[in-house]
């Protein structure tokens, strides 16, 4: 209780000594980059650690798993840091062909099944090798976290070895089989992948446990895990952009178990708008009812960027939650907030927003953004010329949105330089006009 | 009250102060300053765009318009790289809200309105209802911008929210320029040089600070960042590249910025062959092949580079330590940028048939740019055997 109170007010809470005793096995780490060691020897060595309850190996396996290209930082023990841990540049990088070793680290962590690897497994979902992400997804499921399922679904559209293993894991976890096979041809594969996605959209709302699914983490269960997650909450408010981005994503993927830590973090971030805005962004990535409730509270934050990020996330939520947020955002005194909300109206194509947009008053940027938002929802031909006019004559925010709207409506990919290269922009507008003519 | 009670009160006050201190300390270990601690005018600010500042500050406005701050959003290269800012994470630094409001030293947050203005006047000067100026200004009650003197405007933590992402300011802190005294120079010392301001209807002639912010986009500033000396003895070429003009690494900031040391050899039969002797750059994390072979001051190495069809050229490279604080903190071990005060010294063994060599120090905005598209910082031509 004392530790929780201290954590809430941001005082330094040291990492318990038990984790400090678990220092990485440097001999094993050295093997990973030793060119004289074969891949099978490395894999064999990693898998020796794959024993339930072998928590002492987690510190080493975390580093084998963490690839510098996707996990920019690791947490280093530092007595002076708030929770006894500080982020430092990740010095560990396996050569490009060592994806199997990282995947085996995830397999070993799955066998050990310790919450102490939660943050690293969540970071590993971004690994450039789909095999690593797939094994991390399954290890996470065992720790009660379903975030990796969306990675498995995305992997169905990747290379054969990634899609095959993703499909197998999905079958194992759900007991369903939609006939996916990497060799059945593009169309049949796409159909099977779509069936998986449709199934998961519904099944993900069902709390009935999947096969192999464990219990989600609860704050207070393990002081070491708490310290690691709290440190990631703090990184969201610190300086290094990539670290912030990766921690935000980690918290979003952790989902509801992260909420008590974020609540504490918002308390520590009382005087730090950047930190609160970062936490709002982490909440925006969760998509759960509890995270929506917290974001609704943040619509009352004194700093506009916190409100605009909250509004953008909430307005995309169907039903009353999103509608209520839109109503509040449109009345906000800072134009950034209605602008963010209008962007979300367009991207989520929320039809119930249309009546709220007609006759909207405010700064020119807001009025123009409302026009684009309406077009993105309705794709009404009558509004098209006005949106085309905004591409050249609108204010900057609306210009970029207008291009995006025309790309969506014409199903033509928007070239990266369309905003600045007149030739590219004209060619894009001509192609879009031709596509509209064909409709 | 007895001594014990006094001690208990003192202990309690000390504990509260310690907790407050712990809460306020930021990740860099320095105290951040929030909007509340900065001066406020107490009257609504009616200005909202940078162009509103122009009537009274035309000279400054014109400098800013042409600066990289002024074009931070509309810059074609930035627009292309950010996919027209569909990559939303670029916005906080290319169209920031007022830094004094976000908190000095804190990461910037995005503005979403008046994006064309990029890093506008308000980004550095505005705090709520007030426009902060240097400590020399007066609190003119009739000025529409509600001006207030403040030390915040010269505070490096106005720059760090966007410019310390790659540790430029952290690197500066370890140089001789950061030592208080006659040699002290901070960001403003080089990137906001003193300029003469003409008198206006309200202000006399005076000295001001340039709002052009000359840096890597300014060739003169780039050329002054590092020196290159070349000498030839027989068939051995000696080259020294020294970071003797900046208070931070060279090149600095973004990881795509690159400086190449190249050698062009003209052979007796008319053949022209080119090679790169070295590259100074902080590589991206997924560029696994890019290593820093000279990891510590004093380190040296022998290597070969391919000189077109002529064959291999052997090179000896030495990392020459800086006179001041030679062992500095390393944030990324593979970084080959040259720290302030350090030099790279090369001995190149030229092939027999070479009659003339040209050594160039080239600045590239991104590492994939061809040599011909780079900006030439220094060039030296030597005739072999003369």
């Amino acid at each position: 209780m004392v530790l929780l109170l201290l954590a809430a007010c941001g005082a330094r809470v040291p990492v318990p000594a038990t984790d400090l005793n678990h220092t990485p096995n440097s001999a094993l780490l050295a093997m990973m980059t030793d060119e004289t060691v074969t891949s099978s020897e490395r894999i064999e060595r990693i898998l020796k650690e794959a024993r339930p309850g072998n928590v002492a190996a987690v510190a080493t396996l975390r580093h084998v798993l963490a690839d510098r290209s996707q996990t920019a930082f690791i947490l280093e023990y530092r007595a002076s840091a708030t929770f006894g841990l500080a982020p430092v540049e990740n010095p560990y990088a396996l050569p490009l062909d060592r994806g199997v070793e990282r995947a085996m680290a995830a397999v070993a962590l799955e066998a050990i099944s310790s919450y102490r690897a939660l943050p690293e497994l969540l970071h590993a979902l971004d690994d450039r090798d789909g095999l690593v992400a797939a094994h991390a997804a399954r290890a996470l499921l065992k720790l009660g976290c379903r975030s990796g399922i969306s990675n498995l679904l995305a992997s169905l559209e990747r290379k054969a070895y990634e899609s095959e293993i993703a499909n197998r894991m999905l079958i194992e976890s759900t007991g369903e089989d939609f006939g996916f096979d990497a060799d059945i041809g593009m169309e049949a594969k796409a159909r099977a992948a779509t069936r998986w996605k449709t199934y998961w959209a519904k099944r993900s709302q069902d709390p009935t446990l999947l096969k192999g699914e464990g219990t989600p983490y609860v704050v207070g269960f393990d002081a070491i895990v708490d310290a690691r997650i709290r440190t990631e909450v703090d990184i969201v408010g610190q300086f290094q952009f990539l670290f912030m981005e990766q921690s935000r994503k980690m918290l979003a993927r952790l989902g509801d178990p992260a909420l008590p830590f974020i609540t504490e973090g918002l308390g520590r971030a009382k005087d730090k708008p950047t930190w609160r805005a970062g936490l709002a962004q982490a909440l925006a990535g969760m998509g759960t009812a509890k995270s929506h409730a917290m974001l609704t509270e943040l619509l009352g934050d004194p700093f506009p960027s916190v409100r605009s990020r909250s509004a953008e996330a909430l307005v995309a939520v169907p039903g009353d939650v999103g509608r209520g947020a839109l109503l509040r955002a449109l009345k906000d005194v800072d134009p950034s907030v209605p602008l963010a909300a209008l962007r979300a109206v367009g991207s989520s194509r929320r039809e119930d927003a249309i009546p709220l947009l007609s006759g909207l008053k405010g700064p020119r940027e807001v009025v123009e953004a409302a026009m684009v938002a309406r077009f993105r929802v309705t794709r009404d031909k009558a509004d098209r010329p006005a949106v085309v006019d905004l591409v050249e004559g609108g204010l900057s925010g609306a210009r970029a949105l207008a291009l995006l709207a025309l790309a969506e409506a014409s199903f033509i990919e928007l070239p990266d330089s369309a905003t600045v290269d007149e030739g590219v922009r004209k060619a894009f507008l001509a192609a879009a006009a031709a596509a509209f003519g064909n409709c | 009250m007895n001594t014990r009670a006094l001690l208990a009160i003192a202990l309690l006050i000390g504990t509260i102060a310690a907790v407050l201190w712990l809460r306020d300390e930021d990740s860099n270990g320095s105290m951040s300053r929030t909007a509340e601690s900065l001066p406020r005018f107490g009257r609504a600010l009616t200005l909202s765009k940078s162009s509103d500042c122009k009537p009274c500050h035309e000279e400054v406005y014109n400098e800013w318009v042409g600066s990289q701050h002024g074009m931070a959003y509309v810059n074609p290269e930035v627009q292309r790289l950010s996919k027209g800012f569909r990559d939303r994470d670029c916005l906080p630094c290319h169209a920031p809200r007022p830094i004094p409001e976000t908190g000095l030293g804190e990461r910037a947050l995005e503005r979403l309105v008046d994006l064309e203005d990029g890093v506008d006047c308000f980004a550095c000067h505005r705090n709520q209802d007030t426009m902060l100026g240097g400590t020399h200004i007066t609190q003119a009650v009739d000025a529409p911008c509600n001006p207030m003197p403040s030390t915040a405007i010269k505070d490096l933590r106005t720059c760090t929210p966007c410019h310390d992402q790659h540790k430029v300011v952290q690197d500066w802190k370890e140089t001789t320029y950061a030592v208080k005294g006659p040699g002290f120079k901070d960001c403003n010392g080089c990137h906001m040089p003193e300029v003469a301001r003409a008198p206006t209807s309200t202000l006399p002639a005076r000295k001001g600070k340039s709002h052009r912010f000359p840096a890597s986009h300014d060739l003169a500033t780039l050329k002054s960042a590092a020196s290159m000396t070349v000498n030839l003895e027989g068939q051995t070429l000696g080259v020294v590249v020294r970071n003797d003009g900046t208070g931070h690494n060279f090149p600095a900031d973004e990881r795509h910025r690159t400086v190449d040391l190249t050698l062009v050899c003209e052979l007796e039969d008319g053949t022209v062959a080119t090679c790169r002797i070295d590259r100074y750059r902080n590589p991206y994390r997924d560029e696994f092949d890019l290593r820093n072979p000279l990891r510590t001051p004093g380190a040296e190495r022998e290597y070969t580079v391919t000189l077109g069809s002529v064959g291999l050229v052997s090179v000896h490279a030495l990392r020459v330590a800086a006179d001041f604080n030679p062992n500095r903190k390393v944030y990324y071990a593979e970084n080959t940028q040259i720290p302030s005060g350090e030099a790279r010294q090369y001995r190149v063994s030229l092939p027999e048939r070479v009659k003339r060599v040209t050594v160039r120090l080239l600045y590239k905005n991104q590492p994939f740019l061809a040599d011909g598209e780079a900006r030439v910082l220094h060039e030296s031509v030597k005739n072999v055997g003369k």
Side-chain angles (χ1 to χ4, degrees):
Chain A
M1 180 54 82
V2 174
L3 288 180
L4 280 175
L5 278 171
L6 284 168
C9 73
R12 289 177 182 139
V13 181
V15 174
T18 47
D19 199 41
L20 292 174
N21 296 338
H22 297 161
T23 49
N25 180 332
S26 52
L28 196 158
L29 287 176
M31 257 183 102
M32 295 303 124
T33 47
D34 185 345
E35 294 300 330
T36 63
V37 178
T38 65
S39 186
S40 344
E41 286 169 330
R42 283 193 289 266
I43 289 166
E44 198 181 326
R45 180 66 191 84
I46 293 167
L47 292 179
K48 266 189 186 167
E49 303 295 342
R51 304 188 302 274
N54 182 20
V55 182
V58 172
T60 311
L61 294 169
R62 274 196 301 239
H63 292 323
V64 179
L65 184 66
D67 182 70
R68 192 175 68 207
S69 68
Q70 300 298 343
T71 309
F73 67 89
I74 57 164
L75 298 179
E76 187 181 80
Y77 298 115
R78 193 179 296 167
S80 61
T82 310
F83 300 111
L85 294 158
V88 291
E89 277 278 351
N90 183 1
Y92 302 101
L94 297 187
L96 285 172
D97 59 352
R98 306 272 159 92
V100 181
E101 281 85 335
R102 294 201 304 282
M104 291 310 110
V107 169
L109 286 168
E110 183 193 344
I112 297 168
S113 198
S114 164
Y115 289 118
R116 290 184 188 183
L118 249 183
E120 285 76 11
L121 285 165
L122 287 161
H123 288 302
L125 292 176
D126 279 328
D127 197 286
R128 60 199 146 87
D129 191 321
L131 194 65
V132 183
H135 281 289
R138 203 163 62 177
L140 283 164
L141 192 64
K142 210 169 162 186
L143 295 171
C145 178
R146 292 180 174 186
S147 283
I149 302 286
S150 56
N151 288 69
L152 296 178
L153 293 170
S155 290
L156 295 173
E157 286 160 25
R158 300 214 186 98
K159 292 175 197 157
Y161 83 97
E162 291 182 37
S163 61
E164 286 288 359
I165 195 157
N167 182 54
R168 207 176 66 224
M169 286 181 179
L170 286 167
I171 292 171
E172 281 171 14
S173 306
T174 63
E176 300 288 337
D177 189 345
F178 295 107
F180 182 93
D181 189 309
D183 296 325
I184 53 171
M186 295 296 278
E187 274 185 35
K189 232 169 73 171
R191 267 201 306 277
T194 305
R195 288 180 70 193
W196 266 123
K197 284 175 193 166
T198 311
Y199 160 78
W200 183 248
K202 200 171 167 197
R203 178 65 177 87
S204 62
Q205 306 303 315
D206 181 350
T208 313
L209 292 183
L210 296 162
K211 192 174 173 213
E213 185 174 2
T215 316
Y217 186 71
V218 179
V219 61
F221 180 78
D222 181 337
I224 291 162
V225 181
D226 289 351
R228 298 188 83 81
I229 298 173
R230 283 191 180 113
T231 303
E232 298 244 7
V233 168
D234 281 10
I235 293 169
V236 172
Q238 291 174 3
F239 203 79
Q240 228 293 348
F241 173 71
L242 204 58
F243 295 8
M244 293 164 80
E245 189 187 28
Q246 292 183 352
S247 283
R248 277 195 320 243
K249 215 186 260 188
M250 191 288 286
L251 292 167
R253 284 171 172 163
L254 184 55
D256 283 351
L259 295 179
F261 296 98
I262 293 179
T263 306
E264 279 175 21
L266 286 168
R268 293 196 294 278
K270 200 161 56 64
D271 300 324
K272 309 263 185 185
T274 307
W275 192 356
R276 297 200 304 278
L279 292 175
Q281 220 170 326
L283 289 167
M286 281 186 195
T288 66
K290 286 178 182 170
S291 68
H292 295 156
M294 283 180 74
L295 282 167
T296 304
E297 270 187 49
L298 289 176
L299 281 177
D301 191 276
F303 205 85
S305 301
V306 183
R307 301 200 298 276
S308 65
R309 289 184 185 184
S310 305
E312 186 162 350
L314 285 170
V315 170
V317 179
D320 290 344
V321 171
R323 198 167 184 278
L326 178 61
L327 282 167
R328 274 179 79 176
L330 292 177
K331 287 180 195 151
D332 200 287
V333 290
D334 192 289
S336 289
V337 184
L339 278 170
L342 289 166
R343 176 182 271 272
V345 167
S347 55
S348 61
R349 303 197 68 193
R350 311 201 49 108
E351 288 181 10
D352 62 348
I354 299 301
L356 304 175
L357 303 188
S358 47
L360 187 71
K361 296 217 168 26
R364 186 178 147 197
E365 261 155 329
V366 173
V367 174
E368 288 178 354
M371 188 191 293
V372 179
R374 193 174 60 199
F375 177 71
R376 289 177 79 188
V377 176
T378 63
R379 302 207 176 149
D380 187 343
K381 274 186 210 168
D383 286 336
R384 209 185 286 151
V387 175
V388 172
D389 285 348
L390 284 177
V391 170
E392 297 298 346
L395 291 173
S396 52
R399 274 211 310 270
L401 275 179
L403 279 167
L404 189 64
L406 293 170
E408 289 167 351
S410 64
F411 299 101
I412 293 176
E413 197 178 338
L414 184 62
D416 289 348
S417 54
T419 46
V420 285
D421 190 322
E422 199 184 345
V424 172
R425 189 164 59 243
K426 285 200 168 142
F428 165 74
L429 288 174
F436 293 138
N438 292 338
C439 291
Chain B
M1 202 179 285
N2 63 27
T3 316
R4 267 190 194 176
L6 280 170
L7 275 173
I9 290 168
L11 190 66
L12 184 66
I13 291 169
T15 308
I16 292 168
V19 168
L20 288 174
W21 173 77
L22 286 166
R23 289 182 62 190
D24 277 354
E25 195 176 19
D26 68 16
S27 58
N28 292 327
S30 60
M31 300 294 281
S32 68
R33 247 173 117 177
T34 56
E36 285 68 31
S37 66
L38 295 170
R40 301 273 286 271
F41 201 89
R43 179 178 70 187
L45 187 67
T46 53
L47 316 179
S48 64
K49 283 175 71 77
S50 290
S51 54
D52 295 339
C53 309
K54 190 179 176 185
C56 299
H57 303 277
E58 190 168 0
E59 235 179 317
V60 175
Y61 177 85
N62 289 337
E63 287 169 359
W64 165 82
V65 158
S67 74
Q68 292 299 316
H69 277 172
M71 60 174 81
Y73 182 82
V74 295
N75 183 331
E77 199 181 343
V78 174
Q79 282 278 346
R80 206 165 280 123
L81 286 170
S82 65
K83 300 179 177 70
F85 283 93
R86 270 175 283 153
D87 185 346
R88 306 279 297 281
D89 289 326
C90 304
L91 262 185
C93 280
H94 288 266
R97 299 191 76 89
I99 297 297
E101 291 178 13
T102 316
L104 299 184
E106 299 291 332
R107 289 294 306 221
L109 287 170
E110 66 279 5
R111 184 171 73 231
L112 300 187
V113 288
D114 299 325
L115 298 174
E116 291 99 337
D117 279 2
V119 182
D120 61 4
C121 305
F122 303 93
C124 302
H125 289 278
R126 182 172 185 168
N127 180 44
Q128 314 288 348
D129 63 2
T130 308
M131 291 298 266
L132 306 172
T135 45
H136 62 284
I137 71 157
T138 48
Q139 190 188 342
V141 286
D142 51 348
C145 63
N146 298 354
M148 290 277 279
S150 168
T151 53
I153 202 68
K154 280 188 180 172
D155 193 317
L156 293 190
R157 288 170 301 164
T158 305
C159 316
T160 54
C162 293
H163 292 287
D164 206 20
Q165 173 66 31
H166 299 290
K167 313 287 184 199
V168 183
V169 180
Q170 301 307 315
D171 290 336
W172 166 81
K173 281 181 181 170
E174 298 199 46
T175 70
T176 179
Y177 296 98
V179 179
K180 293 283 180 200
F184 179 85
K185 252 189 180 188
D186 60 11
C187 310
N188 299 329
C190 293
H191 300 293
M192 290 194 81
E194 209 165 71
V195 288
R197 293 265 175 251
T200 66
S201 56
T202 51
L203 294 166
R206 65 213 181 278
K207 281 179 183 165
K209 289 283 196 178
S210 169
H211 282 61
R212 272 195 327 111
F213 307 102
S216 66
H217 294 83
D218 178 73
L219 190 59
T221 306
L222 258 182
K223 284 185 171 185
S224 69
S227 64
M228 182 182 83
T229 53
V230 178
N231 65 69
L232 185 66
E233 277 182 27
Q235 292 295 115
T236 305
L237 186 73
V239 184
V240 178
V241 179
R242 188 181 297 277
N243 178 352
D244 48 11
T246 79
H248 45 67
N249 288 2
F250 169 73
D253 218 316
E254 303 290 346
R255 289 177 184 244
H256 50 76
R257 290 180 182 172
T258 307
V259 173
D260 284 344
L261 179 66
T262 65
L263 174 68
V264 182
C265 291
E266 290 171 60
L267 273 64
E268 285 159 357
D269 63 1
T271 309
V272 176
T274 305
C275 65
R276 188 166 78 209
I277 299 174
D278 212 349
R279 167 165 274 196
Y280 316 115
R281 186 180 157 229
N282 191 12
Y284 290 113
R285 292 174 178 85
D286 57 358
E287 293 179 298
F288 295 105
D289 296 337
L290 299 182
R291 300 277 175 184
N292 177 15
L294 303 177
R295 293 179 107 79
T296 50
E300 52 191 314
R301 69 163 179 147
E302 299 277 352
Y303 60 104
T304 54
V305 288
T306 307
L307 183 64
S309 58
V310 178
L312 297 176
V313 170
S314 62
V315 181
H316 173 268
L318 169 69
R319 179 172 168 179
V320 183
D323 293 337
F324 177 83
N325 186 20
N327 296 306
R328 302 195 184 150
K329 183 163 178 167
V330 175
Y331 293 97
Y332 193 59
E334 311 307 341
N335 185 354
T336 60
Q337 294 170 334
I338 307 178
S340 175
E342 272 197 20
R344 298 287 179 272
Q345 187 178 299
Y346 304 90
R347 233 180 20 246
V348 184
S349 303
L350 297 172
E352 286 299 320
R353 295 171 292 135
V354 173
K355 69 168 186 185
R356 186 181 297 129
V357 292
T358 305
V359 184
R360 290 195 183 105
L361 195 63
L362 302 175
Y363 178 84
K364 297 177 177 178
N365 222 357
Q366 44 107 337
F368 310 110
L369 219 56
D371 288 356
E373 295 174 79
R375 276 179 280 181
V376 181
L377 305 187
H378 299 293
E379 181 177 274
S380 175
V381 182
K382 300 278 180 195
N383 292 315
V384 183
K386 287 186 183 171

